[in-house]
Amino acid sequence: YFLMIRRPPRSTHCISSAASDVYKRQAEDTPTNQQVATVMLERLGCHVTVVGDGDEALQALDRQRFDLVFMDCQMPEMDGFTATRIIRRRHYLSRGGRHLPVIAMTAGVMLDDREACLASGMDDFLAKPFRQAELERMLHRWVAITPND
């Protein structure tokens, strides 16, 4: 799953691998977890688009620009590594016309996991499960957001 985030005038829009994956590992992928992750991002001023797999994410990126992509590494059909390589090959840009940040969301916390994410073209790494404060720090690192705008 992907969570795509776009910003209204002063907030953030993001694409990400399913909101549930943003909050918990994929094995725990439930509508409730998707809602929790979406709410976490919305509280930070994000407009969230949730798509089901890498193909849907690429289609969404073909239709509009986003500020950030949260990418689950382990997905059905097309994994996050493959989807990220395609995103980089197609040179998608953010809504501001700059490099589109892709942030890995994975339960893997070993150095090899992080290196595999970065090697595929992802910009950063967020280990699951995570807390709202960790998500907020990641957003502030990659996208200028103002909560509740």
Side-chain angles (χ1 to χ4, degrees):
Y1 297 97
F2 294 84
L3 288 176
M4 300 187 180
I5 296 175
R6 288 184 339 227
R7 292 169 41 90
R10 295 181 58 178
S11 64
T12 298
H13 286 264
C14 174
I15 174 176
S16 172
S17 44
S20 60
D21 286 335
V22 173
Y23 183 64
K24 299 276 190 184
R25 59 177 50 198
Q26 178 140 1
E28 299 170 344
D29 185 15
T30 67
T32 300
N33 287 340
Q34 290 176 2
Q35 291 171 351
V36 168
T38 298
V39 167
M40 288 172 70
L41 288 163
E42 288 173 345
R43 284 182 184 157
L44 296 170
C46 298
H47 288 245
V48 180
T49 300
V50 180
V51 297
D53 59 38
D55 239 8
E56 289 179 22
L58 296 172
Q59 290 172 27
L61 287 167
D62 284 339
R63 289 189 304 272
Q64 65 183 358
R65 287 187 178 179
F66 292 88
D67 296 306
L68 181 74
V69 176
F70 283 111
M71 180 76 68
D72 183 20
C73 296
Q74 305 301 321
M75 295 179 294
E77 307 301 318
M78 180 189 302
D79 67 28
F81 304 110
T82 302
T84 300
R85 283 191 288 274
I86 292 170
I87 288 169
R88 295 302 179 225
R89 218 174 26 245
R90 292 183 183 175
H91 303 288
Y92 288 112
L93 298 175
S94 71
R95 286 187 330 131
R98 293 180 293 277
H99 173 81
L100 176 65
V102 177
I103 310 304
M105 299 224 169
T106 181
V109 294
M110 304 302 290
L111 182 58
D112 290 348
D113 298 320
R114 182 178 180 85
E115 289 173 357
C117 292
L118 298 176
S120 73
M122 296 177 194
D123 297 289
D124 214 332
F125 180 93
L126 187 59
K128 301 182 290 185
F130 54 84
R131 298 182 185 277
Q132 174 105 21
E134 295 167 305
L135 182 60
E136 183 173 13
R137 279 192 296 276
M138 188 63 66
L139 287 171
H140 282 288
R141 181 177 301 150
W142 291 100
V143 180
I145 63 168
T146 305
N148 302 320
D149 274 349

